[in-house]
Amino acid sequence: MVSVKRFIHDEPALFKATAEFVRLFARIDDPVLAVATCEKNINARIAWTLFGTALFQDVSYPEFVTLLRTLNEKFPGEKLWTLPVPKAQDIEDCVETAFGCRSWSMFENVSGIFWSVGLFVRRHLDLRGWLKSRTPEEIWRDLGEIYFMGKGNPRPKVCAAIYRLLAPAPVGLGLDCAPSPKWPPLPLTMGARRYLSILGPASDGFADLEPSQKQTLATDLYVALVQYLMEQSENAEVKKSKVDALTAYVAAHSLQFYLEDGTDDFICRLSTDHCRKCPLRKYCNYAI
Protein backbone atom coordinates (compact mmCIF):
# COMPACT_ATOMS: atom_id res chain seq x y z
CA MET A 1 0.00 0.00 0.00
CA VAL A 2 1.08 3.56 -0.70
CA SER A 3 -0.43 6.78 0.55
CA VAL A 4 -2.94 8.59 -1.62
CA LYS A 5 -0.45 11.44 -1.97
CA ARG A 6 2.20 9.03 -3.25
CA PHE A 7 -0.34 7.35 -5.53
CA ILE A 8 -1.19 10.69 -7.13
CA HIS A 9 2.51 11.44 -7.59
CA ASP A 10 3.32 8.03 -9.07
CA GLU A 11 0.16 7.57 -11.16
CA PRO A 12 -1.03 11.04 -12.18
CA ALA A 13 -2.75 9.87 -15.37
CA LEU A 14 -4.60 7.07 -13.56
CA PHE A 15 -5.65 9.47 -10.81
CA LYS A 16 -7.04 11.95 -13.35
CA ALA A 17 -8.84 9.15 -15.18
CA THR A 18 -10.36 8.08 -11.86
CA ALA A 19 -11.54 11.63 -11.25
CA GLU A 20 -13.24 11.57 -14.65
CA PHE A 21 -14.87 8.27 -13.69
CA VAL A 22 -16.19 9.98 -10.56
CA ARG A 23 -17.52 12.88 -12.62
CA LEU A 24 -19.22 10.52 -15.06
CA PHE A 25 -20.85 8.27 -12.47
CA ALA A 26 -22.04 11.11 -10.26
CA ARG A 27 -25.00 11.22 -12.67
CA ILE A 28 -25.90 7.55 -12.17
CA ASP A 29 -28.82 6.99 -9.80
CA ASP A 30 -28.18 5.58 -6.36
CA PRO A 31 -30.31 2.40 -6.13
CA VAL A 32 -32.17 3.63 -3.05
CA LEU A 33 -32.70 7.22 -4.19
CA ALA A 34 -33.80 6.02 -7.63
CA VAL A 35 -37.06 5.03 -5.96
CA ALA A 36 -37.20 7.35 -2.94
CA THR A 37 -36.94 10.50 -5.06
CA CYS A 38 -40.06 9.50 -6.98
CA GLU A 39 -42.03 10.55 -3.91
CA LYS A 40 -43.28 14.14 -4.08
CA ASN A 41 -43.53 14.66 -0.32
CA ILE A 42 -40.21 15.24 1.47
CA ASN A 43 -41.30 13.22 4.49
CA ALA A 44 -41.97 10.27 2.21
CA ARG A 45 -38.64 10.73 0.43
CA ILE A 46 -36.82 10.58 3.74
CA ALA A 47 -38.83 7.61 4.99
CA TRP A 48 -38.32 5.61 1.80
CA THR A 49 -34.61 6.44 1.86
CA LEU A 50 -34.39 5.03 5.37
CA PHE A 51 -36.40 1.95 4.45
CA GLY A 52 -34.39 1.30 1.29
CA THR A 53 -31.08 1.70 3.08
CA ALA A 54 -32.03 -0.71 5.86
CA LEU A 55 -33.33 -3.24 3.33
CA PHE A 56 -30.48 -3.11 0.79
CA GLN A 57 -28.43 -6.26 1.34
CA ASP A 58 -27.36 -9.40 -0.53
CA VAL A 59 -28.93 -8.41 -3.85
CA SER A 60 -27.74 -6.73 -7.04
CA TYR A 61 -28.43 -3.07 -7.68
CA PRO A 62 -30.98 -3.61 -10.48
CA GLU A 63 -32.75 -6.34 -8.53
CA PHE A 64 -32.99 -4.08 -5.51
CA VAL A 65 -34.45 -1.20 -7.52
CA THR A 66 -37.08 -3.60 -8.84
CA LEU A 67 -37.90 -4.74 -5.30
CA LEU A 68 -38.06 -1.27 -3.77
CA ARG A 69 -40.17 0.00 -6.66
CA THR A 70 -42.56 -2.94 -6.26
CA LEU A 71 -42.93 -2.19 -2.56
CA ASN A 72 -43.36 1.52 -3.26
CA GLU A 73 -46.08 0.88 -5.81
CA LYS A 74 -47.93 -1.37 -3.36
CA PHE A 75 -47.47 0.94 -0.37
CA PRO A 76 -46.82 4.43 -1.80
CA GLY A 77 -45.94 7.47 0.26
CA GLU A 78 -47.27 7.52 3.78
CA LYS A 79 -48.54 3.94 3.58
CA LEU A 80 -45.04 3.06 4.71
CA TRP A 81 -45.82 4.42 8.16
CA THR A 82 -49.55 5.01 8.63
CA LEU A 83 -51.75 2.67 10.64
CA PRO A 84 -52.95 0.00 10.31
CA VAL A 85 -49.67 -1.56 9.21
CA PRO A 86 -49.76 -4.03 6.30
CA LYS A 87 -49.79 -7.74 6.99
CA ALA A 88 -46.50 -9.59 6.66
CA GLN A 89 -47.97 -11.68 3.86
CA ASP A 90 -48.77 -8.59 1.78
CA ILE A 91 -45.22 -7.27 2.19
CA GLU A 92 -43.65 -10.65 1.44
CA ASP A 93 -45.81 -11.02 -1.66
CA CYS A 94 -44.03 -7.94 -3.06
CA VAL A 95 -40.68 -9.67 -2.62
CA GLU A 96 -41.95 -12.77 -4.40
CA THR A 97 -43.36 -10.62 -7.20
CA ALA A 98 -40.03 -8.81 -7.65
CA PHE A 99 -37.74 -11.84 -7.38
CA GLY A 100 -39.99 -14.71 -8.38
CA CYS A 101 -38.92 -16.64 -5.29
CA ARG A 102 -38.76 -16.52 -1.50
CA SER A 103 -35.11 -17.54 -1.12
CA TRP A 104 -33.54 -14.08 -0.66
CA SER A 105 -31.50 -13.97 2.55
CA MET A 106 -33.48 -10.97 3.80
CA PHE A 107 -36.91 -12.40 2.99
CA GLU A 108 -37.93 -13.13 6.57
CA ASN A 109 -36.77 -9.69 7.73
CA VAL A 110 -38.53 -7.48 5.18
CA SER A 111 -41.75 -7.11 7.15
CA GLY A 112 -39.87 -6.33 10.35
CA ILE A 113 -37.83 -3.64 8.62
CA PHE A 114 -40.98 -2.18 7.03
CA TRP A 115 -42.78 -2.00 10.38
CA SER A 116 -39.69 -0.67 12.17
CA VAL A 117 -39.26 2.22 9.72
CA GLY A 118 -42.97 2.97 10.06
CA LEU A 119 -42.65 3.11 13.84
CA PHE A 120 -39.60 5.38 13.52
CA VAL A 121 -41.54 7.81 11.31
CA ARG A 122 -44.55 7.83 13.63
CA ARG A 123 -42.22 8.51 16.56
CA HIS A 124 -40.45 11.45 14.90
CA LEU A 125 -43.33 12.64 12.64
CA ASP A 126 -41.71 15.62 10.88
CA LEU A 127 -38.61 13.95 9.49
CA ARG A 128 -37.22 17.11 7.93
CA GLY A 129 -37.54 18.86 11.28
CA TRP A 130 -35.96 15.88 12.99
CA LEU A 131 -32.94 16.10 10.66
CA LYS A 132 -32.57 19.86 11.19
CA SER A 133 -32.57 19.41 14.95
CA ARG A 134 -29.91 16.70 14.98
CA THR A 135 -26.17 16.68 14.37
CA PRO A 136 -24.80 13.82 12.26
CA GLU A 137 -23.76 12.07 15.47
CA GLU A 138 -27.28 12.34 16.85
CA ILE A 139 -28.79 11.12 13.57
CA TRP A 140 -26.38 8.17 13.71
CA ARG A 141 -27.62 7.38 17.21
CA ASP A 142 -31.32 7.78 16.39
CA LEU A 143 -31.16 5.55 13.31
CA GLY A 144 -30.12 2.68 15.56
CA GLU A 145 -33.83 2.49 16.44
CA ILE A 146 -34.52 0.97 13.02
CA TYR A 147 -34.36 -2.79 12.66
CA PHE A 148 -31.39 -3.97 10.57
CA MET A 149 -29.70 -0.56 10.53
CA GLY A 150 -27.10 -2.04 12.87
CA LYS A 151 -26.32 -1.65 16.54
CA GLY A 152 -22.53 -1.76 16.59
CA ASN A 153 -19.84 0.38 15.08
CA PRO A 154 -19.35 1.62 12.35
CA ARG A 155 -22.92 0.85 11.21
CA PRO A 156 -22.34 1.10 7.44
CA LYS A 157 -26.07 1.25 6.68
CA VAL A 158 -26.55 4.18 9.03
CA CYS A 159 -23.59 5.99 7.47
CA ALA A 160 -25.02 5.37 4.00
CA ALA A 161 -28.42 6.68 5.09
CA ILE A 162 -26.95 9.88 6.52
CA TYR A 163 -25.08 10.71 3.33
CA ARG A 164 -28.05 9.82 1.13
CA LEU A 165 -30.16 12.25 3.15
CA LEU A 166 -27.69 15.11 3.47
CA ALA A 167 -25.38 15.03 0.44
CA PRO A 168 -26.21 17.47 -2.36
CA ALA A 169 -28.34 16.35 -5.30
CA PRO A 170 -28.12 14.27 -7.40
CA VAL A 171 -26.16 11.94 -5.11
CA GLY A 172 -28.28 12.80 -2.06
CA LEU A 173 -31.48 14.56 -1.03
CA GLY A 174 -29.58 17.72 -0.08
CA LEU A 175 -31.30 18.16 3.29
CA ASP A 176 -29.98 20.07 6.30
CA CYS A 177 -28.92 18.91 9.74
CA ALA A 178 -27.65 20.70 12.83
CA PRO A 179 -24.07 21.92 12.32
CA SER A 180 -21.25 19.80 13.65
CA PRO A 181 -17.57 19.29 12.84
CA LYS A 182 -17.95 15.53 13.29
CA TRP A 183 -19.25 13.30 10.52
CA PRO A 184 -19.64 9.54 10.26
CA PRO A 185 -17.27 7.55 8.06
CA LEU A 186 -17.87 7.84 4.34
CA PRO A 187 -19.29 4.65 2.79
CA LEU A 188 -16.69 2.09 1.80
CA THR A 189 -18.69 0.16 -0.78
CA MET A 190 -17.66 -3.00 -2.58
CA GLY A 191 -17.04 -0.94 -5.71
CA ALA A 192 -14.67 1.36 -3.86
CA ARG A 193 -12.96 -1.64 -2.30
CA ARG A 194 -12.48 -3.16 -5.75
CA TYR A 195 -11.00 0.04 -7.10
CA LEU A 196 -8.60 0.42 -4.17
CA SER A 197 -7.45 -3.19 -4.41
CA ILE A 198 -7.26 -3.49 -8.21
CA LEU A 199 -6.19 -0.08 -9.51
CA GLY A 200 -5.76 2.19 -6.52
CA PRO A 201 -3.13 2.82 -3.87
CA ALA A 202 -3.72 -0.55 -2.16
CA SER A 203 -3.36 -2.73 -5.25
CA ASP A 204 -0.56 -4.65 -3.56
CA GLY A 205 -2.35 -5.68 -0.37
CA PHE A 206 -5.74 -4.15 0.40
CA ALA A 207 -6.99 -7.35 2.05
CA ASP A 208 -4.16 -7.23 4.59
CA LEU A 209 -5.06 -3.77 5.88
CA GLU A 210 -6.89 -3.16 9.13
CA PRO A 211 -10.47 -1.84 8.76
CA SER A 212 -9.39 1.57 10.04
CA GLN A 213 -6.59 1.71 7.46
CA LYS A 214 -9.01 0.83 4.67
CA GLN A 215 -11.38 3.56 5.79
CA THR A 216 -8.64 6.16 6.04
CA LEU A 217 -7.29 5.25 2.61
CA ALA A 218 -10.75 5.44 1.03
CA THR A 219 -11.55 8.76 2.69
CA ASP A 220 -8.24 10.29 1.61
CA LEU A 221 -8.87 9.15 -1.95
CA TYR A 222 -12.44 10.50 -1.99
CA VAL A 223 -11.26 13.88 -0.77
CA ALA A 224 -8.38 14.05 -3.26
CA LEU A 225 -10.61 13.12 -6.20
CA VAL A 226 -13.28 15.68 -5.40
CA GLN A 227 -10.70 18.35 -4.63
CA TYR A 228 -9.14 17.76 -8.04
CA LEU A 229 -12.53 18.01 -9.76
CA MET A 230 -13.36 21.21 -7.91
CA GLU A 231 -10.04 22.73 -8.94
CA GLN A 232 -10.93 22.02 -12.58
CA SER A 233 -14.22 23.88 -12.27
CA GLU A 234 -14.81 27.05 -14.28
CA ASN A 235 -16.64 28.48 -11.27
CA ALA A 236 -14.12 30.55 -9.32
CA GLU A 237 -15.92 30.00 -6.02
CA VAL A 238 -16.01 26.23 -6.49
CA LYS A 239 -12.37 26.21 -7.61
CA LYS A 240 -11.28 27.76 -4.31
CA SER A 241 -13.56 25.69 -2.09
CA LYS A 242 -12.33 23.01 0.26
CA VAL A 243 -13.79 19.52 0.30
CA ASP A 244 -16.00 18.57 3.22
CA ALA A 245 -17.62 15.24 4.05
CA LEU A 246 -20.73 15.91 1.97
CA THR A 247 -18.86 16.90 -1.17
CA ALA A 248 -16.39 14.02 -0.73
CA TYR A 249 -19.39 11.69 -0.78
CA VAL A 250 -19.66 12.31 -4.53
CA ALA A 251 -16.56 10.16 -5.02
CA ALA A 252 -17.91 7.49 -2.68
CA HIS A 253 -21.16 7.47 -4.66
CA SER A 254 -19.43 7.13 -8.02
CA LEU A 255 -16.91 4.46 -7.08
CA GLN A 256 -19.67 2.17 -5.79
CA PHE A 257 -20.41 1.35 -9.44
CA TYR A 258 -16.92 0.09 -10.27
CA LEU A 259 -17.29 -3.55 -11.40
CA GLU A 260 -20.67 -3.76 -9.65
CA ASP A 261 -23.05 -6.34 -11.11
CA GLY A 262 -25.87 -4.97 -13.22
CA THR A 263 -28.66 -6.68 -15.12
CA ASP A 264 -26.53 -8.36 -17.80
CA ASP A 265 -23.05 -7.06 -17.05
CA PHE A 266 -21.13 -4.73 -14.76
CA ILE A 267 -22.97 -1.45 -14.22
CA CYS A 268 -19.88 0.50 -15.21
CA ARG A 269 -19.72 -1.39 -18.53
CA LEU A 270 -23.39 -0.82 -19.26
CA SER A 271 -23.03 2.89 -18.49
CA THR A 272 -19.96 3.44 -20.68
CA ASP A 273 -20.95 1.75 -23.95
CA HIS A 274 -19.29 -1.50 -22.85
CA CYS A 275 -16.15 0.26 -21.61
CA ARG A 276 -15.57 2.23 -24.80
CA LYS A 277 -16.35 5.52 -23.07
CA CYS A 278 -14.90 4.63 -19.68
CA PRO A 279 -12.07 6.90 -18.49
CA LEU A 280 -10.45 3.87 -16.81
CA ARG A 281 -10.48 1.63 -19.88
CA LYS A 282 -6.74 1.98 -20.44
CA TYR A 283 -5.96 0.81 -16.91
CA CYS A 284 -8.65 -1.74 -16.07
CA ASN A 285 -7.97 -5.41 -16.84
CA TYR A 286 -11.72 -6.01 -16.90
CA ALA A 287 -12.25 -3.62 -19.82
CA ILE A 288 -13.61 -5.20 -22.98
Side-chain angles (χ1 to χ4, degrees):
M1 183 193 81
V2 299
S3 68
V4 170
K5 185 176 181 180
R6 178 63 181 271
F7 172 70
I8 296 170
H9 178 271
D10 292 348
E11 301 285 354
L14 172 55
F15 174 75
K16 292 176 183 178
T18 305
E20 290 307 314
F21 183 95
V22 168
R23 189 200 305 274
L24 177 64
F25 280 84
R27 301 193 298 267
I28 303 298
D29 283 339
D30 175 280
V32 173
L33 295 185
V35 177
T37 53
C38 293
E39 291 288 352
K40 295 180 180 179
N41 178 282
I42 191 61
N43 223 45
R45 287 189 175 196
I46 296 170
W48 277 92
T49 297
L50 296 178
F51 176 51
T53 302
L55 191 62
F56 192 13
Q57 185 172 319
D58 297 339
V59 64
S60 75
Y61 282 37
E63 288 172 331
F64 181 75
V65 171
T66 298
L67 170 62
L68 195 59
R69 185 166 287 127
T70 301
L71 286 160
N72 182 255
E73 289 172 354
K74 178 69 173 179
F75 310 106
E78 64 183 23
K79 288 188 177 181
L80 175 58
W81 67 86
T82 51
L83 298 174
V85 300
K87 296 178 181 178
Q89 181 65 52
D90 293 336
I91 298 171
E92 292 169 356
D93 284 348
C94 290
V95 181
E96 191 164 5
T97 297
F99 293 162
C101 66
R102 302 166 69 91
S103 59
W104 180 38
S105 65
M106 294 287 287
F107 183 82
E108 294 182 356
N109 305 112
V110 176
S111 299
I113 295 171
F114 189 105
W115 297 330
S116 180
V117 172
L119 178 61
F120 181 88
V121 178
R122 292 193 299 274
R123 181 179 293 132
H124 295 281
L125 297 177
D126 175 12
L127 294 181
R128 190 173 205 167
W130 162 72
L131 281 173
K132 284 185 176 181
S133 70
R134 301 291 200 274
T135 64
E137 285 182 295
E138 291 168 334
I139 297 170
W140 188 90
R141 180 197 64 206
D142 287 354
L143 290 182
E145 299 171 14
I146 297 175
Y147 181 48
F148 256 83
M149 273 291 198
K151 295 294 184 183
N153 195 1
R155 295 191 194 176
K157 287 186 178 181
V158 168
C159 295
I162 290 172
Y163 286 103
R164 283 178 175 133
L165 293 171
L166 303 178
V171 299
L173 295 183
L175 299 171
D176 296 322
C177 68
S180 172
K182 295 184 178 180
W183 285 82
L186 286 156
L188 181 49
T189 61
M190 288 306 300
R193 290 171 184 269
R194 291 186 201 101
Y195 174 84
L196 287 166
S197 62
I198 296 172
L199 296 180
S203 58
D204 61 347
F206 183 77
D208 298 327
L209 299 179
E210 295 294 327
S212 60
Q213 292 177 301
K214 293 177 181 178
Q215 184 65 55
T216 298
L217 190 66
T219 300
D220 289 348
L221 181 64
Y222 296 156
V223 170
L225 288 166
V226 174
Q227 187 69 62
Y228 172 80
L229 289 173
M230 291 169 66
E231 289 171 356
Q232 307 309 305
S233 173
E234 295 180 358
N235 184 308
E237 186 174 341
V238 171
K239 188 185 290 285
K240 295 178 181 179
S241 299
K242 293 297 182 182
V243 178
D244 58 20
L246 291 179
T247 50
Y249 176 69
V250 173
H253 165 90
S254 294
L255 286 177
Q256 72 179 308
F257 298 109
Y258 181 66
L259 300 182
E260 185 64 42
D261 284 338
T263 305
D264 301 309
D265 206 339
F266 295 134
I267 292 174
C268 54
R269 282 181 181 168
L270 297 172
S271 302
T272 57
D273 192 17
H274 295 281
C275 302
R276 284 187 283 271
K277 297 178 181 178
C278 181
L280 293 173
R281 184 180 188 185
K282 177 181 176 182
Y283 307 96
C284 180
N285 289 334
Y286 291 85
I288 55 177

